[in-house]
Amino acid sequence: MASSPRLYLLDYGAGNVQSLANSIAKLGYQFEWISRPEDFAQADKLVFPGVGAFGTAVANLRAKGLFEPLRSYLRSGRPYFGICIGMQILFASSAESPESEGLGVIPAPIERFTRESGKAVPHMGWNHAAFVGESAEVQGESERVGMSEEDSYYFVHSFRAAYDPATTGEWAHTTTQYGQELFVSSVRRENVFATQFHPEKSGEVGLRILEAWLSAPLEAIDAHRVPSTRRTREVIVAPKDGFTKRIIACLDVRANDDGDLVVTKGDQYDVREKVESSAFIITTTSTSESPSATTKASSPTRAVRNLGKPVALANRYYIEGADEICLLNITSFRNSPLRDQPMLAVVREAAAQIFVPLTIGGGIKDTVDPDGTPRTALEVAGAYFRAGADKVSLGSEAVTAVEKLRENGWVGDGTSAIETIAYVYGRQAVVVSADPRRVFVDPETYQGPYADELVRASEATATSLGSEGEAGKAWWYQCTIKGGREPRPLSICELARGIDILGAGEFLLNCIDRDGSGRGYDLDLIRLVRRTVGIPVVASSGAGRTDDFVDVFEKTGVEAALAAGIFHRYEVEIGQVKARCGEAGIRVRRVGS
Ligand code: 1PR
């Protein structure tokens, strides 16, 4: 019996390759890592799951002596599957790092998406792919490498190869439209197949692509060789793209009083039960979970709300059709996440079962271990990426960094956690999670710095504000750190502008006033921030019914909406949210596809 092809994965040492490794393991294939130049000779098939920045990928490949062997491998005719940067590196150059040369297999440049017509960049989320050229004429699964025009795939990138029949047209397998830009979303020619999207993060339909490529016999892949000139065609840009709004499930994780990691959920960040547990009554007056709780809770003895086990719950949301899952380690600021082995184990276990993007937040900042060893935020992020996170989320650290940026005249110095992580892993891997709260002022007498950002309560909003405000009042949104405990002299708009300058790829916008309230998202806040930044914004806090999602998408234009409590308590299912959005004409990824 013929032995199975030797499959190798190329790891240049910086990108997050764990997600792909998990997907391949899930499909039951064995693989080895290429880490030395001589390993290429052993490979019958090669996957390059490049995640991160183009320049970093090229520099790392060169430093490890892997760049030229990779070029030779491609010339040898053996099958190659590139993902994201693994596709972009086939091109001649990238505007992301003009000083770094690509492999030049495809004689065209990679360029930056424009922010035309208000679309957010990075292109982050699920989008369709349409076959072009000869790929549009074949129908077979194997020729289409498991792809289908019915499905959506997960993209996360700021740079793309434009579709041009004269250059990229000969390579294009599919194109995708984002806003009014048409780009190459996959290439297939001779022994080369590559996707701009992430099959390993595209749920079951992504696994189908991997399976189609992995299971193809070597001869069949070789038979894809085609003459050097292929038929190409013009592709018409449609009035509307196929980009979908994302529904994200969020799990706030922390240790309960027995030391077990549990999913918890607060009301305005207070995650302890309302009623004291007699088993725990002691008389000290120390910690509580939120500033608003400091006055109402004199006892620390209320038990931490326990809504389930993190991995089981994350898996439930994956199966129910969440487009992304977010795990926030909400008390990690108290110690070093690198020492938090149970949390890293949770990330590892969740990543092995969940094939949609996984964001991990909490404690990502420069720290010093109790033994005096300094740890950079980049190291902490690296540990989360190696455990299987696709994106990391920074909270307190981002606020501090933007305060410093403001002091320095809004010019970054390259040292902040956002900058260092984005440099290595790419902008798209860095999320900032903000915890703002309202500060009420009298608009007639207010002399502070945020006059331009004031939101005024109208008669209508004042009614819905309840205890939060009254007609005639106005407020600005203040940033906080340490899980809402410490207010900072920084507004949400300053934070939004600052993180865009520093290079974050996404803004996760919580709202302490609405958290856990079920009264709907804070549309004033979300609208304000959406107008301020060009990166994708995730609305968070306050979802109570399916119509809240429709409202936030229709009234603010955000790219994604996140919820926690209603999903944890089985009040609303993700499928119901998607069905309601679909009824309202909002494009969402089909559940189960
Ligand atoms: O500051 O980098 O260590 O990050 C800490 C992270 O932990 C931040 O993202 C911060 O938002 C989060 N966090 C800290 N304390 C709490 C808390 O609840 N006591 N959770 C906390 C924040 C907000 C959302 C929540 C939505 C939706 N929770 O995660 O899931 O508000 O809830 P809902 O749909 O039930 O209304 P750092």
Side-chain angles (χ1 to χ4, degrees), residues 236-272:
I236 310 289
V237 176
K240 213 169 169 342
D241 62 19
F243 192 57
T244 67
K245 299 287 187 188
R246 281 173 286 153
I247 308 296
I248 301 176
C250 182
L251 289 76
D252 290 354
V253 178
R254 61 158 289 164
N256 66 10
D257 297 301
D258 298 325
D260 301 322
L261 279 183
V262 295
V263 175
T264 189
K265 184 65 211 83
D267 293 328
Q268 300 187 315
Y269 288 34
D270 180 2
V271 298
R272 289 188 180 264

Side-chain angles (χ1 to χ4, degrees), residues 250 252 265 269 328 330 363 395-396 433 435 483 510 515-516 540-542 564-565:
C250 182
D252 290 354
K265 184 65 211 83
Y269 288 34
L328 296 178
I330 68 170
S396 309
S433 157
D435 305 312
N510 302 303
D515 175 54
S540 167
S541 303

Side-chain angles (χ1 to χ4, degrees), residues 250-252 264-271 289-290 326 328-333 361-365 393-398 433-435 481-485 508 510-511 514-518 521 540-544 562-566 568-569:
C250 182
L251 289 76
D252 290 354
T264 189
K265 184 65 211 83
D267 293 328
Q268 300 187 315
Y269 288 34
D270 180 2
V271 298
E289 298 304 322
S290 78
C326 186
L328 296 178
N329 186 359
I330 68 170
T331 48
S332 62
F333 63 85
I364 301 175
K365 60 176 182 186
S393 159
L394 287 77
S396 309
E397 169 66 24
S433 157
D435 305 312
I481 59 172
K482 299 183 181 167
R485 285 168 183 75
L508 164 49
N510 302 303
C511 172
R514 289 291 167 101
D515 175 54
S517 70
Y521 295 97
S540 167
S541 303
L562 170 152
I566 50 167
H568 301 337
R569 296 186 299 265

Side-chain angles (χ1 to χ4, degrees), residues 507-556:
F507 200 21
L508 164 49
L509 186 56
N510 302 303
C511 172
I512 297 180
D513 309 286
R514 289 291 167 101
D515 175 54
S517 70
R519 286 192 290 123
Y521 295 97
D522 187 336
L523 301 179
D524 293 315
L525 167 67
I526 297 161
R527 227 182 266 120
L528 185 67
V529 169
R530 189 68 202 80
R531 278 203 303 266
T532 307
V533 276
I535 57 176
V537 175
V538 180
S540 167
S541 303
R545 347 158 268 153
T546 55
D547 277 348
D548 291 334
F549 293 83
V550 173
D551 273 357
V552 80
F553 289 133
E554 285 183 344
K555 295 181 181 160
T556 72

